[in-house]
Amino acid sequence: MELKIALLPGDGIGPEIIDQAVGVLNAVEAKFGHKFTYTKALVGACAIDATGNPYPDETHEICLANDVVLFGAIGDPKYDNNPTSKVRPEQGLLAMRKKLGLFANLRPIQLFASLADRSPLKKEVVDGADFVCVRELTSGMYFGEPQGRDEANTYAVDTCKYTREEIDRIVRLAFDLAGKRRGHLTVVDKANVLETSRLWREVAQGIAPEYPNIKLDYMFVDNAAMQIIRQPTYFDVVVTENMFGDILTDEASVISGSLGMLPSASIGSKVALFEPIHGSYPQAAGKNIANPMATILSAAMLLEHVGLTEEGAAVRKAVDKALTEGVVTEDLAQKGEKCYSTSEVGEYIASQI
């Protein structure tokens, strides 16, 4: 297969982890006889520094011209809480999602057997945990208008808005995904308080008769936050709005033992994008200590998305081998164990393909 991949390393540790994912993809290319071509583009703080725009038009055109996008991370401390900054790196992330139509973010939460004792939760609680959170990505509080503060700086306002169409497409995607898994879908909302949540629930109830083989239930977001920690094995597919999904999936990262283990896919009408769910981790940038496994597993999701299931499985198997053999970065190394660098972990995984 010939596959064109847009690379958006971004900020902080982004370039380092993307380099290791590309190394693994190159190993897949060589072993399975494919041809992968890469085009790099700027996004985030580095794009602001170069062009003044966190998501330049040129980057957007490169994304559209490729089959898939592999993205690192966005964020730089120099733009955090800086009143003189009219543009922030995170605006590039929101613009990218909106312009590419990336309305569905799929975040698999799975415990690797070799990491069961690294999770802060009891092994008997997390053992067997395997679910996917489907997060709506292009609407809700992060995009709602009006947004901002009054001139006197006495109040601030954020608006949460959803259309029936936006909810319908993400809920249908979640139903379809549940049908390919264990047939259980949980809609997470706050319908006892929020009008947008009541619309979410109405839409889900209207779609449900079309999927008679799917077990459907509803859960308030505060209860869901508790149950993800109390009994994560209950869940199969979870669908929720933008902000709830952002918070719940970061919470769920403790199940795997490290935020550095969680990949994600953002699916839309134009092109699919794959990225680790962690941020740019600026404190580690350039130190060769960040965990590249979430990005490498995102590359596995990328391969599976384009139909290369055997290749994706090979990447997952190689990651599992690294975990089993203890070839891990400092976030996963136990006391007294050797810590491997970002590049050492990436090179080991590539060698196992």
Side-chain angles (χ1 to χ4, degrees):
M1 173 185 280
E2 293 190 6
L3 188 64
K4 296 185 295 182
I5 304 172
L7 296 179
L8 277 58
D11 307 319
I13 62 172
E16 299 167 63
I17 55 179
I18 286 291
D19 281 348
Q20 299 314 311
V22 169
V24 171
L25 286 171
N26 288 341
V28 169
E29 179 187 38
K31 179 178 175 64
F32 292 91
H34 300 302
K35 181 175 176 58
F36 299 156
T37 57
Y38 307 97
T39 307
K40 281 191 176 182
L42 296 173
V43 69
C46 61
I48 297 175
D49 294 342
T51 71
N53 185 345
Y55 184 60
D57 291 342
E58 182 183 358
T59 296
H60 183 61
E61 292 305 318
I62 287 173
C63 290
L64 292 178
N66 284 266
D67 300 313
V68 285
V69 180
L70 186 59
F71 166 59
I74 275 179
D76 191 301
K78 68 183 177 183
Y79 292 100
D80 291 343
N81 299 315
N82 185 346
T84 64
S85 299
K86 295 183 179 180
V87 180
R88 293 176 52 82
E90 292 75 13
Q91 291 173 309
L93 186 59
L94 298 180
M96 180 170 63
R97 291 169 177 170
K98 198 73 171 180
K99 289 184 178 181
L100 292 176
L102 301 172
F103 68 87
N105 183 227
L106 278 59
R107 295 186 172 186
I109 309 296
Q110 186 175 16
L111 178 71
F112 286 86
S114 54
L115 294 182
D117 57 348
R118 319 278 174 107
S119 172
L121 303 179
K122 293 179 180 180
K123 184 176 181 179
E124 57 267 29
V125 172
V126 297
D127 192 29
D130 176 12
F131 64 95
V132 176
C133 186
V134 181
R135 170 191 170 194
E136 200 288 323
L137 207 56
T138 57
S139 195
M141 189 82 76
Y142 296 170
F143 293 92
E145 296 292 343
Q147 185 180 67
R149 302 186 185 191
D150 68 311
E151 291 184 2
N153 202 28
T154 58
Y155 71 85
V157 59
D158 292 289
T159 304
C160 186
K161 178 183 177 181
Y162 271 103
T163 66
R164 190 172 287 272
E165 180 185 8
E166 288 169 335
I167 301 168
D168 184 276
R169 66 184 179 183
I170 191 80
V171 171
R172 286 185 184 278
L173 187 149
F175 267 109
D176 290 337
L177 181 59
K180 298 172 184 176
R181 289 174 52 89
R182 300 191 301 274
H184 177 199
L185 176 61
T186 302
V187 176
V188 171
D189 59 33
K190 192 65 176 170
N192 57 334
V193 175
L194 301 177
E195 196 61 45
T196 48
S197 283
R198 285 190 276 274
L199 182 59
W200 269 77
R201 191 168 291 209
E202 287 173 20
V203 171
Q205 289 169 338
I207 296 172
E210 300 177 35
Y211 296 86
N213 295 325
I214 303 298
K215 175 188 174 185
L216 176 64
D217 56 24
Y218 303 89
M219 194 175 289
F220 293 149
V221 64
D222 40 357
N223 184 33
M226 178 177 67
Q227 298 305 332
I228 282 173
I229 298 302
R230 183 173 173 267
Q231 50 173 351
T233 55
Y234 171 81
F235 299 100
D236 179 21
V237 176
V238 174
V239 65
T240 191
E241 59 98 75
N242 204 340
M243 186 171 70
F244 294 165
D246 193 4
I247 296 168
L248 291 178
T249 50
D250 275 15
E251 180 202 24
S253 70
V254 303
I255 293 169
S256 68
S258 171
L259 197 62
M261 290 302 301
L262 296 186
S264 76
S266 296
I267 309 298
S269 55
K270 299 173 184 176
V271 64
L273 179 146
F274 302 85
E275 62 174 305
I277 81 162
H278 58 68
S280 60
Y281 192 12
Q283 302 91 331
K287 296 180 181 179
N288 201 23
I289 61 173
N291 185 350
M293 288 185 176
T295 313
I296 291 170
L297 289 169
S298 296
M301 293 183 74
L302 181 157
L303 293 168
E304 291 159 351
H305 176 76
V306 298
L308 301 180
T309 53
E310 184 182 356
E311 291 83 342
V315 174
R316 295 181 187 281
K317 184 177 179 182
V319 169
D320 197 45
K321 180 75 181 298
L323 292 171
T324 301
E325 296 298 321
V327 183
V328 296
T329 44
E330 62 179 18
D331 58 313
L332 292 177
Q334 291 186 314
K335 189 175 182 179
E337 289 183 343
K338 177 181 177 180
C339 294
Y340 289 80
S341 68
T342 306
S343 55
E344 286 174 332
V345 171
E347 289 162 6
Y348 178 84
I349 293 170
S351 75
Q352 300 303 306
I353 298 295

